[in-house]
Amino acid sequence: MIKTVSTTPYADQKPGTSGLRKKVPEFQRPNYAENFIQSIFDSLEGYQGKCLVIGGDGRYYNRDVIQKAIKMAAANGFGKVMVGKGGILSTPAASHIIRKYKAFGGIILSASHNPGGPTEDFGIKYNIGNGGPAPEKITDAIYERSKVIDSYKISDFPDINLDRIAREDIGGMIVSVIDPVEDYAALMEELFDFGAIRNLISLGFRLCFDAMSAVTGPYAKEIFEIRLGAPDGSVRNFLPLPDFGGHHPDPNLVHCKELYDEMMGDDAPDFGAASDGDGDRNLIIGKGIYVTPSDSLAILAANANLAPGYSHGIAGIARSMPTSGAADRVAEKRGIGMYETPTGWKFFGNLLDAGMATICGEESSGTGSNHVREKDGLWAVLLWLNILAVRGESVVDIVTQHWATYGRNYYSRHDYEGVDTDAANGLIAALREKLPTLPGTKYGDLTVSAADDFAYHDPVDKSVSQHQGIRILFEGGSRVVFRLSGTGTTGATLRVYIERYEPDPTRHNIETQEALADLITAAQEIADIKGRTGRDAPTVIT
Ligand code: VG1
Ligand code: CO
């Protein structure tokens, strides 16, 4: 039976960079999740009788919201729900399932790299029929709806058993509990030369993948150990846990310090990698070398033709604005398109759909291609392995040769987490005000050549997205970028992105923070970070 439940709106359901993210206790407020899910449905048209994909990263509260979402989908008239066994679907796998089965859309339950548990983070995101995150037009509509919603619809059938693969008809709607790994693993086999990678591994190449007790565990076990023959134990922390074992499932040098230390040690494996809570990010570390995500994007784009799925070359590259310009040099040399978008994967969807970009990336450890419409952690790892298998060289050799050919973009991001929200907003507002006066100003030996507030004009649907980050460019091509995070749940996070281009190969071995030291000082001065936030130093440096 369908019930219509009356509700009162919440004022804080504005989706951020990647869906709505809040602390679990906030999501547990009466009707909080229901309001948001109904607001999603109310913002869509034409889904009657169609299929909705539902899955999440296995974090605390995942199963509860999945049950609610299934019952609400039934009450709202969907004809079918496909849900991953155990409530599990990595973000890229969900994107693939939506595309493969031509679903109307999907609901992904994740707060990605944010910690999980009863007092930690949870999130809900809607993806459209192309498999990608809903564009701003839809997320804006969801937010508007959430501010006035007064009822939601839910069916009162008992909870679905999520722990076995089955297909049931429930009050006229089909619920199909599917294997979360199978379709995704098959797609990876189509794109990459598993034979070559298997051969590399059989010759003694050692790889180590840390699933961080998050969603990629079952995928990585199946792909690396079973299909590619890596020895048992190559995949670590492979069991998805509701609290990720108490860690942040964020594959950066802070939260993957153990792996990093091991990769820098004497007996290091040849290749180390990790992914985040929902499986869309990647960390790549070669023996003795960390590969920055911006460099990784450029190197993957330059070598993608070595993998069967990209053997005909790539049409273009897209990167988020704060991502370094390393990929631009590859695009320039190849004579292919290069696109600069705001932060967040939703901005790549149109370029991918239009065939303008094939490979996309973000400095925040996100890389992906037109195989799905999300960034994809395991995809990036597999493309690296495919390249390593074909070239027969080490990661460090491939990276240094890339720099020698294209020059090196020294790059770092400094995050100031948990800053007072008003202080952070004030800092950005003050910068914005200062923009017209900055060109020509000197900071040490650096002279500002241009400064603006990045606005994106989507070449496909012509939509415009304003205020996507403050860019300050210096003479000679270096730059710093300031923006506030749209995924955090406590206070504000100020992100400062710092970049310098160095063409001279004899200057490619400087320690990154040292190579960027004058820009770091300039950034602190221009934004008066200490004066406005009280912080002497960033919380996280990547
Ligand atoms: C961050 C990253 C951004 C990424 C987003 C979602 O956003 O900077 O590049 O797309 O997270 O990734 P923000 O607004 O906090 O800077 V995930 O893996 O959290 O879905
Ligand atoms: Co993620």
Side-chain angles (χ1 to χ4, degrees):
M1 213 186 59
I2 297 172
K3 289 193 294 182
T4 300
V5 182
S6 61
T7 185
T8 45
Y10 288 90
D12 64 349
Q13 297 198 320
K14 187 176 169 52
T17 311
S18 183
L20 180 68
R21 291 186 189 171
K22 299 278 174 208
K23 294 285 175 209
V24 168
E26 296 180 70
F27 260 107
Q28 287 169 327
R29 284 176 289 170
N31 299 335
Y32 194 84
E34 289 87 340
N35 276 15
F36 190 69
I37 295 169
Q38 188 66 51
S39 299
I40 296 174
F41 295 156
D42 289 350
S43 308
L44 306 173
E45 265 171 32
Y47 57 77
Q48 298 300 318
K50 304 258 171 72
C51 174
L52 181 71
V53 172
I54 304 179
D57 62 11
R59 70 178 60 225
Y60 186 86
Y61 211 42
N62 191 36
R63 284 170 177 263
D64 304 66
V65 177
I66 286 184
Q67 297 292 351
K68 292 180 203 281
I70 296 174
K71 292 171 193 177
M72 290 181 66
N76 279 276
F78 277 93
K80 181 177 181 184
V81 159
M82 292 176 85
V83 56
K85 182 170 171 246
I88 293 285
L89 276 180
S90 78
T91 293
S95 182
H96 178 52
I97 300 281
I98 294 170
R99 294 167 65 75
K100 178 165 180 179
Y101 297 100
K102 302 197 168 36
F104 184 85
I107 289 183
I108 300 179
L109 307 171
S110 169
S112 190
H113 55 291
N114 296 2
T119 57
E120 296 295 353
D121 291 12
F122 190 75
I124 305 182
K125 180 168 89 158
Y126 180 70
N127 280 30
I128 58 174
N130 74 351
E136 279 190 329
K137 196 167 62 135
I138 295 180
T139 54
D140 289 347
I142 296 171
Y143 177 47
E144 289 309 314
R145 180 65 194 153
S146 74
K147 291 193 278 192
V148 295
I149 189 164
D150 59 7
S151 70
Y152 64 86
K153 285 194 216 142
I154 189 158
S155 296
D156 64 356
F157 52 73
D159 280 1
I160 300 294
N161 179 353
L162 295 173
D163 295 307
R164 49 144 186 51
I165 291 170
R167 196 184 153 91
E168 296 177 62
D169 186 329
I170 291 169
M173 185 182 81
I174 305 285
V175 178
S176 183
V177 179
I178 59 166
D179 181 322
V181 176
E182 182 55 40
D183 287 313
Y184 178 83
L187 175 65
M188 295 300 117
E189 286 216 45
E190 272 169 41
L191 296 174
F192 302 114
D193 188 344
F194 272 41
I197 303 173
R198 205 179 298 120
N199 188 42
L200 177 75
I201 292 172
S202 74
L203 294 172
F205 178 93
R206 283 165 58 213
L207 85 96
C208 171
F209 180 84
D210 189 348
M212 304 192 88
S213 307
V215 80
T216 48
Y219 296 85
K221 268 265 171 202
E222 170 68 25
I223 293 172
F224 298 130
E225 294 188 5
I226 297 172
R227 301 196 186 195
L228 292 171
D232 206 23
S234 302
V235 178
R236 301 178 185 173
N237 302 315
F238 57 84
L239 212 58
L241 299 175
D243 67 348
F244 309 117
H247 300 291
H248 285 233
D250 190 344
N252 64 25
L253 297 183
V254 175
H255 299 295
C256 289
K257 178 144 195 328
E258 230 170 88
L259 177 66
Y260 176 80
D261 289 345
E262 187 178 334
M263 293 305 300
M264 297 302 133
D266 290 341
D267 188 32
D270 298 288
F271 186 80
S275 189
D276 69 333
D278 61 330
D280 57 1
R281 296 189 179 202
N282 69 87
L283 169 75
I284 304 291
I285 312 178
K287 190 180 184 133
I289 186 171
Y290 160 64
V291 187
T292 68
S294 295
D295 278 348
S296 181
L297 170 67
I299 293 166
L300 292 180
N303 292 278
N305 60 307
L306 301 179
Y310 308 91
S311 58
H312 300 299
I314 58 174
I317 311 172
R319 63 161 171 85
S320 67
M321 180 273 282
T323 304
S324 98
D328 302 38
R329 300 185 181 273
V330 175
E332 200 184 343
K333 211 164 207 165
R334 300 284 165 93
I336 56 174
M338 184 73 222
Y339 305 90
E340 187 177 37
T341 60
T343 296
W345 210 261
K346 58 178 175 264
F347 295 102
F348 293 132
N350 282 342
L351 297 169
L352 292 165
D353 283 351
M356 295 161 83
T358 307
I359 288 194
C360 307
E362 294 193 274
E363 53 63 43
S364 56
S365 299
T367 337
S369 87
N370 59 356
H371 68 293
V372 290
R373 293 293 180 273
E374 288 279 6
K375 53 191 191 270
D376 188 343
L378 290 172
W379 172 90
V381 174
L382 285 165
L383 182 48
W384 261 103
L385 290 173
N386 196 143
I387 292 166
L388 290 164
V390 174
R391 288 186 51 169
E393 292 162 282
S394 66
V395 175
V396 70
D397 286 346
I398 289 176
V399 173
T400 42
Q401 281 175 46
H402 185 91
W403 290 337
T405 310
Y406 296 96
R408 177 171 180 184
N409 290 68
Y410 281 102
Y411 187 85
S412 184
R413 186 176 95 190
H414 289 197
D415 289 337
Y416 296 78
E417 294 176 331
V419 169
D420 176 75
T421 306
D422 291 338
N425 287 332
L427 181 151
I428 295 289
L431 271 175
R432 208 167 267 147
E433 208 140 283
K434 222 161 139 177
L435 286 174
T437 65
L438 284 175
T441 315
K442 272 187 173 304
Y443 294 88
D445 289 339
L446 296 161
T447 307
V448 177
S449 61
D452 71 355
D453 187 356
F454 180 61
Y456 179 58
H457 297 258
D458 186 306
V460 180
D461 70 12
K462 310 290 176 208
S463 61
V464 180
S465 304
Q466 306 277 3
H467 305 307
Q468 297 297 327
I470 305 286
R471 294 194 286 196
I472 299 178
L473 312 177
F474 297 95
E475 283 173 7
S478 300
R479 64 169 190 167
V480 292
V481 172
F482 301 87
R483 60 178 284 280
L484 299 183
S485 158
T487 57
T489 56
T490 347
T493 294
L494 168 69
R495 302 203 196 284
V496 186
Y497 310 82
I498 308 132
E499 176 179 2
R500 149 165 294 132
Y501 178 63
E502 177 55 72
D504 178 0
T506 65
R507 298 181 49 80
H508 284 172
N509 280 321
I510 308 169
E511 195 276 321
T512 300
Q513 301 304 315
E514 199 183 310
L516 299 172
D518 55 343
L519 287 157
I520 293 168
T521 309
Q524 285 166 342
E525 203 176 310
I526 295 171
D528 186 18
I529 297 179
K530 171 126 201 260
R532 290 193 168 266
T533 68
R535 300 291 178 82
D536 277 327
T539 344
V540 178
I541 295 180
T542 51

